[in-house]
Amino acid sequence: MRFGKEFVSHMIPEWQEAYIDYAHLKTILQDIQASRKNSDSNSQNTPSFARNLTRRYNRDASVFDNHDIVVNTVTRDEEELETTTTTTYETTFLKAGEAGGDFEVTFFRTLDREFNKVNNFYRLKVETARNEALALHKQMDALIAFRHKVMDEKKPSVFDSVSVDINGLASEAGSSSKSREHRVALADLMRNDDDTSKESILERIRMNKTREITPLTAIKTILKVHKQDELKFTRENLKEVEKRLQIAFIEFYQKLRHLKNYSFLNASAVSKIMKKYDKIAKRNAAKLYMEMVDRSYLSSSDEVHTQLLRCESIFIEHFSNSNRRQGMSLLRPKINKERHLITFSTGFFFGCGVSLIVALGLITHARNIMGTLGQRTYMETMFPLYRFFGFVVLHMIMYAANIYFWRRYRVNYSFIFGFKQGTELGYRHVLLLSFGLGTLSLCAVLVNLDMEMDAETKDYRTVTELVPLFLLVLVIAIVLCPLNILYRSSRYFFLAVLFRCIAAPFYTVNLPDFFLADQLTSQVQALRSLEFYMCYYGFGDFRHRRRNTCTSNIGFTTFYFIVAVIPYWLRLLQCIRRIIEEKDLCHGYNAIKYLLTIIAACLRTAYTLNRGTTWNITAWVFSGVATFYGTYWDIVVDWGLLQRGCKNSFLRDKLLVPHKTVYYAAMVLNVLLRLVWLQTVLNLKFSFLHRETMVALLACLEIIRRGIWSFFRLENEHLNNVGRYRAFKTVPLPFNYEEDGDHNN
């Protein structure tokens, strides 16, 4: 791999603008190379006598001037803080009068600007890390005092051993009893001073409230039931403090590693570009320039390395029982490597799925299933049960495609979603799960179809009708399985986010929460399939393969409305929660969008069940308003497109996908796919398609639209992080000192 690609691949995505612009510097070198080729061709056309004079002049000049550049160090005082100074470097090119010298002047001017940018950014981040290290040091002092208070160990302390050693030394030296008593008193005084210092620390701190709010604490907040922020020296609080500090140290360690990598990469980039310059321009400037780089803060400061060693030492001692292997495994978790078995299994299940689809088509054609009397009954009973798995598989395939393109265009999705390092799934893992579920579902369809088409058995057996239910129970059991198989951390992460979505008003809303809730709004038909599962098997219609008893029930009709509303209702509650917490009216406008969508969905459902002109008109009006509002929100707010005055017409200034047509096509597709509700109000029917098939196709189009939306939504979120250089999570610390004021450290 060439250095340019390797350089980009190792960048911290959110800091990419703070790195040296290696590609631009290479472009300037190409201009230098082109200008030198032109000058060489022109020199060949000059007379030989003139060329000899030129060579002699250059040879004589080299005796007096052995350097091509001079690097100057400029120190400036900051205007805001008089005590703070910044160091910049300016390079003077001494041979600007030669052919192509103006390009070389531009090269060094650009290189200086880029290096000064990197050097100042690194200095700023190291200073921030230094402040965080001081805060963590104070937190560790509080933790040790807190732990000492909780454990109340009766073992001899360090000062007891000091006393023993002093007494032993005294006896060995034959000192008098008076001297021994004096030394014992000194050790007791040191022990008392240590206890006093710990007590003084505990008197100056209080515990910070955790950001995670449970339903119980939310209800207490509403009822204004508050507890005193006092220190309770319990083992439960100690475990909570240790857990939070452990996370804080791991996050701080990752920051230090990123800073060290940032320094190494940029220094390597300068070295590479200077070697290329010397080779192309036939100069000897790399040595002088790299000497300046080695003296700069970027390369000479060892503070990050020192902090790394100190962080490792503290973490191993206090959080892994002095077990270095265990501690380093937490600080440096192993990165999941792509295994050939995953690729092979994905391809295997994909091939099986395609084969089963072909087999299903051939069996349907050979037995003329579509022309039998039971075809309509099958489409109204069994098809709604199986299409649930089709919706899930399609959504997983869209998510896998998103992961592939997020990685390709360096969208840091694992950081945005908050995945634990080393546990995030790649697109191959998601495709493996989706193709595996698809293969399992198609096998169930074929088994069910084969049992139904038994020529000797005209009646429907119970085991035949229970195949879809068995498959659903199996999938739910796998998702809830407590064993460490089939990506348990990802399954539990999904379940935790899903629970927070369901309990939307009682939890702080983070990006994974509302992102998953938005995905659920595109799975209304899947939720209705789950409703049909409960109805079909709950009322016993599966014994006779009919849905009359189920669908004619008033409870089914009522719940048919509720299911269509639930995902949008959850998003509405999340918006209300964010309005209360963040005091941002933007979330209020977003809540109006979901309220309009709820009304439109209810009206379209009512029109589907009760045909009439009044229902048709109201469904038209509210669906049109909701579609216009939602489309505007998708494109302008969620995607950040259609910005005024940007360099990319009707888009935004920063684009990750190099082809602008992709964004225009996405906007058009979003509008068209949002209009699929027209089929409901226009009552479009096709003779060759059953109604349930039409519903499934429209639901698939909505899932595809959601997949497209997901890519650009996360791209916009990533660009916001890049603009703020936000590459790390903010970890709340457990303790707060009184001198720090009433805020979290």
Side-chain angles (χ1 to χ4, degrees), residues 42 145 151 167 196 199 232 239 288 352 366 424 440 482 574 586 734:
N42 293 332
M151 303 303 293
N167 293 335
T196 304
E199 290 294 335
K232 293 186 177 180
K239 290 181 179 179
L288 273 175
C352 291
E424 67 274 10
L440 192 63
Q574 288 179 340
C586 181

Short mmCIF file of all heavy atoms in Angstrom, two decimals, residues 42 145 151 167 196 199 232 239 288 352 366 424 440 482 574 586 734:
data_model
loop_
_atom_site.label_atom_id
_atom_site.label_comp_id
_atom_site.label_asym_id
_atom_site.label_seq_id
_atom_site.Cartn_x
_atom_site.Cartn_y
_atom_site.Cartn_z
N ASN A 42 14.19 23.05 -22.60
CA ASN A 42 14.63 24.34 -23.13
C ASN A 42 16.15 24.46 -23.08
O ASN A 42 16.76 25.06 -23.97
CB ASN A 42 14.00 25.48 -22.33
CG ASN A 42 12.50 25.56 -22.55
OD1 ASN A 42 11.99 25.15 -23.60
ND2 ASN A 42 11.78 26.09 -21.55
N ALA A 145 -9.33 7.22 48.87
CA ALA A 145 -9.88 7.58 50.18
C ALA A 145 -11.25 6.93 50.39
O ALA A 145 -11.56 6.44 51.48
CB ALA A 145 -10.00 9.10 50.29
N MET A 151 -13.77 -0.11 52.80
CA MET A 151 -13.20 -1.40 53.17
C MET A 151 -12.82 -1.45 54.64
O MET A 151 -13.00 -2.49 55.30
CB MET A 151 -11.97 -1.69 52.30
CG MET A 151 -12.24 -1.68 50.81
SD MET A 151 -13.54 -2.84 50.31
CE MET A 151 -12.75 -4.39 50.66
N ASN A 167 11.56 -0.39 63.88
CA ASN A 167 11.85 -1.11 65.13
C ASN A 167 12.91 -2.17 64.92
O ASN A 167 13.79 -2.37 65.75
CB ASN A 167 10.56 -1.74 65.67
CG ASN A 167 9.56 -0.68 66.12
OD1 ASN A 167 9.96 0.43 66.46
ND2 ASN A 167 8.28 -1.03 66.12
N THR A 196 -5.77 11.59 58.16
CA THR A 196 -6.32 12.95 58.17
C THR A 196 -6.47 13.48 56.75
O THR A 196 -7.47 14.13 56.41
CB THR A 196 -5.42 13.88 58.99
OG1 THR A 196 -5.27 13.34 60.31
CG2 THR A 196 -6.02 15.27 59.06
N GLU A 199 -9.42 11.87 55.13
CA GLU A 199 -10.66 12.44 55.64
C GLU A 199 -10.91 13.83 55.06
O GLU A 199 -12.04 14.19 54.74
CB GLU A 199 -10.61 12.50 57.17
CG GLU A 199 -10.68 11.15 57.86
CD GLU A 199 -12.01 10.45 57.64
OE1 GLU A 199 -13.01 11.15 57.39
OE2 GLU A 199 -12.04 9.21 57.71
N LYS A 232 -22.33 8.24 50.50
CA LYS A 232 -22.71 7.04 51.23
C LYS A 232 -21.65 5.99 50.98
O LYS A 232 -21.46 5.54 49.86
CB LYS A 232 -24.08 6.55 50.77
CG LYS A 232 -25.22 7.49 51.14
CD LYS A 232 -26.57 6.90 50.78
CE LYS A 232 -27.70 7.82 51.22
NZ LYS A 232 -29.03 7.25 50.88
N LYS A 239 -18.47 0.19 43.87
CA LYS A 239 -18.45 -0.48 42.57
C LYS A 239 -18.83 0.47 41.44
O LYS A 239 -18.24 0.43 40.36
CB LYS A 239 -19.39 -1.69 42.59
CG LYS A 239 -18.91 -2.84 43.46
CD LYS A 239 -19.88 -4.02 43.40
CE LYS A 239 -19.39 -5.17 44.25
NZ LYS A 239 -20.33 -6.33 44.22
N LEU A 288 17.70 19.47 6.44
CA LEU A 288 17.51 20.69 7.22
C LEU A 288 16.08 20.80 7.74
O LEU A 288 15.85 21.17 8.90
CB LEU A 288 17.85 21.91 6.37
CG LEU A 288 19.31 22.35 6.34
CD1 LEU A 288 19.49 23.51 5.36
CD2 LEU A 288 19.76 22.77 7.72
N CYS A 352 -27.35 -20.63 -0.92
CA CYS A 352 -28.50 -21.43 -0.49
C CYS A 352 -29.81 -20.66 -0.66
O CYS A 352 -30.82 -21.22 -1.11
CB CYS A 352 -28.33 -21.84 0.97
SG CYS A 352 -27.00 -23.03 1.27
N ALA A 366 -44.65 -25.80 -11.25
CA ALA A 366 -44.91 -27.21 -11.58
C ALA A 366 -46.23 -27.68 -11.00
O ALA A 366 -46.97 -28.43 -11.65
CB ALA A 366 -43.76 -28.09 -11.08
N GLU A 424 -18.05 -3.91 17.41
CA GLU A 424 -18.94 -3.49 16.32
C GLU A 424 -18.90 -4.52 15.19
O GLU A 424 -17.88 -5.14 14.91
CB GLU A 424 -18.54 -2.11 15.79
CG GLU A 424 -17.20 -2.04 15.09
CD GLU A 424 -16.03 -1.84 16.03
OE1 GLU A 424 -16.24 -1.94 17.25
OE2 GLU A 424 -14.90 -1.61 15.55
N LEU A 440 -33.05 -19.77 6.43
CA LEU A 440 -33.91 -20.48 7.38
C LEU A 440 -35.39 -20.24 7.08
O LEU A 440 -36.21 -21.17 7.13
CB LEU A 440 -33.56 -20.03 8.79
CG LEU A 440 -34.13 -20.85 9.96
CD1 LEU A 440 -33.60 -22.27 9.92
CD2 LEU A 440 -33.78 -20.19 11.29
N PRO A 482 -28.61 -15.83 26.40
CA PRO A 482 -27.57 -15.25 27.28
C PRO A 482 -26.18 -15.79 27.00
O PRO A 482 -25.20 -15.25 27.53
CB PRO A 482 -28.06 -15.64 28.67
CG PRO A 482 -28.81 -16.92 28.46
CD PRO A 482 -29.45 -16.81 27.11
N GLN A 574 -39.84 10.92 22.36
CA GLN A 574 -38.42 11.24 22.41
C GLN A 574 -38.17 12.72 22.13
O GLN A 574 -37.33 13.36 22.77
CB GLN A 574 -37.66 10.38 21.40
CG GLN A 574 -37.54 8.92 21.81
CD GLN A 574 -36.80 8.09 20.77
OE1 GLN A 574 -36.70 8.48 19.60
NE2 GLN A 574 -36.29 6.94 21.17
N CYS A 586 -36.05 23.20 17.95
CA CYS A 586 -35.93 22.34 16.77
C CYS A 586 -36.58 20.98 17.01
O CYS A 586 -37.20 20.41 16.11
CB CYS A 586 -34.46 22.18 16.39
SG CYS A 586 -34.18 21.17 14.93
N PRO A 734 -16.99 10.48 38.57
CA PRO A 734 -17.87 10.19 39.72
C PRO A 734 -17.84 11.24 40.82
O PRO A 734 -18.84 11.44 41.50
CB PRO A 734 -17.33 8.85 40.23
CG PRO A 734 -15.92 8.80 39.75
CD PRO A 734 -15.88 9.52 38.45
#
